[in-house]
């Protein structure tokens, strides 16, 4: 008797469980499509070190979008031939995984071309985008598609961009495409290659290859009235690139953080920091919804040796001082969010960012 009770109780329990199982549909009616792509949004604050971030956090009432990231690292920015890098060599380190010479773009110290992460991904069918508040042929964006030992060859760099296959780009510098010394009109070349060419974010109407020129040469600063064009261009880029079935790589640059530092202009510097952080907010919101997007936010070097010698948290004011008009060698922070973000913790060289991106894409 005792033995049969022992047998019956587990049997009843099993039947009860099975009965309950029957009421649950094991397969959802609309199964989520499997996500088999990876996206990276790399946001570079040109000249953005810890004090630029600290100052912006203070004037913004104690918070910044980038500071929501939980995975934080530090990168060293020196280049192959100098202790203090320029923007070309530091962007090349991130785009190609090799230290190169001052003023070089997408080439090794001997001048041999290196394949950039954008070029590798383009070959693989991954969509690519570049958005900046400088000219699109300026050092930071150019290091992702151009190969030059002299970063100032803007007309040659524009030719390289047309041939690069980059799916969405936004920035200034239209004159290097349509007012060239060789008389070639590269706007026509872009159109022939299927690009829509626009002059403001709200003119970008189609989901197709896009060239968005926000200025003939240098875009104006935030204090001069640029408006939220970086944030809007980032939004447009994401609307376009997210339609890629093989994922995308988007680089967004807050270029004028550096220019403000070089002018030793604190008000300009803080305005550009907050403009950049607004674009960071767009990227983080996208990544949070998407779930397959890694966001990495960093600087390419520190600019001007910005120091905070006083300030007031309650009044949201800072007193800054600049020790130089040039770049400095200080290591810069890296903030990461989303899948794969753990790989960005620790202390490493700027070249390691390239290898971390490759790992994330499974290359
Ligand atoms: Zn720079
Ligand atoms: Mg730059």
């Amino acid at each position: 008797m005792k033995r049969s009770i022992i047998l019956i109780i587990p049997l009843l329990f099993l039947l009860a469980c099975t009965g309950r199982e029957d009421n649950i549909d094991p397969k959802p009616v609309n199964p989520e499509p499997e996500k088999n792509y990876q996206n990276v949004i790399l946001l570079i604050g040109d000249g953005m070190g810890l004090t630029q971030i600290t100052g912006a956090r203070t004037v913004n009432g104690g918070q910044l979008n980038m500071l929501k990231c939980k995975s934080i690292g530090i990168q060293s920015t020196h280049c192959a031939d100098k202790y203090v890098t320029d923007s070309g060599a530091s962007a090349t380190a991130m785009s190609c995984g090799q230290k190169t010479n001052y003023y070089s773009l997408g080439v090794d110290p001997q001048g041999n071309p290196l394949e950039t992460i954008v070029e590798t991904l383009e070959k693989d069918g991954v969509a690519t985008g570049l958005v900046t508040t400088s000219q699109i042929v300026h050092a930071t964006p150019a290091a992702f598609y151009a190969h030059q030992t002299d970063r100032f060859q803007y007309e040659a760099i524009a030719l390289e961009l047309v041939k690069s296959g980059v799916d969405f780009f936004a920035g200034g510098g239209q004159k290097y495409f349509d007012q060239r010394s060789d008389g070639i009109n590269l706007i026509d070349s872009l159109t022939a290659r299927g690009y829509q060419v626009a002059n403001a974010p709200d003119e970008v109407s189609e989901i197709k290859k896009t060239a968005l020129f926000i200025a003939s040469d240098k875009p104006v600063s935030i204090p001069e009235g640029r408006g939220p064009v970086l944030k809007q261009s980032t939004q447009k880029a994401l609307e376009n690139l997210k339609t890629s079935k093989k994922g995308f790589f988007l680089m967004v640059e807050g270029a004028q953080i550096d220019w403000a530092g070089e002018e030793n202009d604190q008000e300009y510097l803080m305005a550009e920091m907050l403009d950049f952080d607004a674009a960071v907010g767009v990227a983080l919101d996208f990544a949070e919804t998407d779930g397959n997007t890694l966001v990495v936010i960093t600087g390419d070097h520190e600019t001007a040796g910005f120091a905070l010698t006083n300030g007031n948290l309650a009044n949201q004011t800072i007193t800054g001082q600049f020790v130089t008009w040039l770049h400095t060698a200080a290591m810069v922070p890296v903030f990461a969010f989303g899948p794969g973000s753990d790989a960005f913790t620790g202390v490493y060289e700027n070249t390691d960012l390239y290898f971390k991106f490759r790992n994330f894409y499974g290359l």
Side-chain angles (χ1 to χ4, degrees):
M1 190 64 193
K2 207 177 180 185
R3 192 170 171 179
S4 52
I5 288 170
I6 291 166
L7 282 172
I8 285 163
I9 289 170
L11 193 69
L12 286 172
F13 183 70
L14 195 73
L15 283 171
C17 290
T18 314
R20 209 176 296 152
E21 278 290 312
D22 285 345
N23 295 333
I24 298 167
D25 188 351
K27 281 178 188 166
V29 182
N30 291 312
E32 276 275 304
E34 201 183 310
K35 289 181 174 180
N36 56 354
Y37 63 87
Q38 289 85 29
N39 303 327
V40 170
I41 309 174
L42 168 63
L43 298 110
I44 301 175
D46 197 314
M48 184 181 77
L50 258 187
T51 46
Q52 285 81 1
I53 294 167
T54 312
R57 178 176 184 253
T58 304
V59 301
N60 200 44
Q63 69 91 29
L64 291 172
N65 292 317
M66 67 182 80
L67 300 177
K68 293 174 189 163
C69 298
K70 300 278 186 278
S71 298
I72 296 156
I74 296 176
Q75 57 147 322
S76 175
T77 68
H78 68 273
C79 64
D81 61 344
K82 283 184 194 284
Y83 186 61
V84 178
T85 191
D86 87 307
S87 302
S90 57
T92 299
M94 293 188 264
S95 68
C96 300
Q98 278 203 47
K99 299 267 185 188
T100 192
N101 293 343
Y102 205 81
Y103 285 174
S104 285
L105 293 178
V107 295
D108 70 13
Q110 289 72 45
N112 304 305
L114 299 166
E115 186 172 277
T116 74
I117 186 87
V118 161
E119 290 169 320
T120 305
L121 293 171
E122 274 290 328
K123 278 188 197 165
D124 231 32
V126 175
T128 59
L130 302 167
V131 172
T132 182
T133 51
S134 69
Q135 301 94 322
I136 194 65
V137 293
H138 206 259
T140 310
F144 286 84
Y145 62 82
H147 309 278
Q148 302 283 339
T149 50
D150 173 11
R151 57 175 270 195
F152 299 104
Q153 297 305 313
Y154 292 140
E155 291 193 352
I157 292 168
L159 255 176
E160 289 195 85
L161 179 55
V162 172
K163 292 174 182 169
S164 69
V166 168
D167 297 280
F168 186 107
F169 65 82
Q174 184 170 346
K175 73 173 191 176
Y176 300 106
F177 295 78
D178 62 6
Q179 295 170 53
R180 297 168 56 85
S181 57
D182 60 10
I184 299 172
N185 189 329
L186 291 182
I187 302 296
D188 293 342
S189 310
L190 286 167
T191 308
R193 285 169 187 257
Y195 281 80
Q196 64 182 324
V197 180
N199 287 111
D202 61 10
E203 285 178 20
V204 177
S205 53
E206 291 178 85
I207 303 296
K208 62 188 284 193
K209 284 200 176 239
T210 302
L212 168 54
F213 291 103
I214 60 168
S216 176
D217 192 6
K218 287 183 177 183
V220 297
S221 69
I222 287 289
E224 286 168 335
R226 191 172 73 242
V229 69
L230 182 64
K231 179 182 172 175
Q232 291 164 352
S233 301
T234 304
Q235 277 162 338
K236 284 290 179 184
L238 291 172
E239 279 170 27
N240 262 263
L241 299 173
K242 76 177 183 187
T243 62
S244 162
K245 294 202 167 40
K246 292 197 79 177
F248 66 78
F249 177 91
L250 172 64
M251 193 287 296
V252 176
E253 185 197 18
Q256 299 196 29
I257 296 166
D258 176 69
W259 299 357
E262 287 174 351
E263 290 183 22
N264 289 4
D265 184 333
Q266 181 182 296
E267 193 190 327
Y268 178 16
L269 177 59
M270 289 300 109
E272 293 295 339
M273 276 296 302
L274 297 184
D275 180 64
F276 176 65
D277 193 59
V280 170
V282 169
L284 290 175
D285 286 348
F286 178 89
E288 204 155 31
T289 308
D290 178 72
N292 269 27
T293 302
L294 165 68
V295 180
V296 175
I297 306 134
T298 189
D300 59 342
H301 53 77
E302 197 276 343
T303 296
F306 186 54
L308 293 164
T309 54
N310 207 344
N312 187 308
L313 289 168
N315 298 342
Q316 298 175 215
T317 55
I318 55 168
T319 306
Q321 285 182 31
F322 301 88
V323 301
T324 176
W325 286 275
L326 304 171
H327 300 171
T328 74
M331 295 194 287
V332 294
V334 182
F335 302 93
F337 175 86
S341 56
D342 286 355
F344 291 81
T345 60
V347 181
Y348 44 85
E349 293 298 326
N350 49 7
T351 45
D352 288 4
L353 286 158
Y354 167 84
F355 296 104
K356 293 178 194 297
F357 295 139
R358 283 191 69 106
N359 283 342
F360 180 69
Y361 285 106
L363 294 168

